[in-house]
Amino acid sequence: MSELTRIPAPDGVAAAAQYSHVVLGTGRFVAIAGQLALDERGRPVGEGDPAAQARQVFENLRRCLAAAGATFEDVVKLTYFVTDMAHMPAVRAARAEHIPDDRLPAASAVQVAALVRPECLIEVEAFAVVAP
């Protein structure tokens, strides 16, 4: 695990409630592609259910991070792509199961018209920094 510094509110920038504005650290950079709510066989999980999909997405992220020798403790940035901003409470709830409020990464949330799989409501990509 790398040593990360989180800056929730740099001078002159309003504090954010659900993310850190800046996260920095030294080590190996890890990029995790956007994860969808698909099981290990590529089948959709939780069709029409944002909470079930968000849980699967974060489980997939956990597995991808582990493959890189990382954990959610190493995540410096998450990008959320949702087909409806109304899905964000489900995303935040799933994130809270893996990342405590005092360890929040930088984040961006974007509403999109569609994702690559039409049955998917949520996609999340991650960037992490792992100790060398």
Side-chain angles (χ1 to χ4, degrees):
M1 180 171 53
S2 68
E3 185 65 34
L4 300 179
T5 301
R6 289 168 176 79
I7 304 170
D11 289 342
V13 177
Q18 296 295 325
Y19 59 90
S20 297
H21 279 289
V22 179
V23 181
L24 57 118
T26 57
R28 285 185 305 115
F29 180 75
V30 177
I32 306 296
Q35 295 299 301
L36 299 168
L38 302 174
D39 69 13
E40 62 276 359
R41 292 192 173 125
R43 296 178 303 214
V45 172
E47 202 163 337
D49 181 348
Q53 287 200 13
R55 285 190 302 274
Q56 183 65 45
V57 165
F58 274 87
E59 177 57 19
N60 290 350
L61 286 169
R62 185 194 65 73
R63 291 174 178 169
C64 289
L65 288 163
T71 71
F72 280 104
E73 287 285 317
D74 302 308
V75 171
V76 297
K77 174 78 162 69
L78 292 171
T79 305
Y80 310 108
F81 302 96
V82 294
T83 57
D84 187 330
M85 280 296 173
H87 302 325
M88 285 305 297
V91 171
R92 285 191 289 273
R95 182 200 63 210
E97 294 175 17
H98 298 276
I99 304 173
D101 285 347
D102 66 339
R103 306 288 296 165
L104 292 174
S108 300
V110 181
Q111 182 171 320
V112 296
L115 296 169
V116 69
R117 295 282 298 259
E119 64 274 27
C120 292
L121 306 172
I122 299 162
E123 181 174 341
V124 181
E125 68 180 16
F127 298 103
V129 175
V130 182

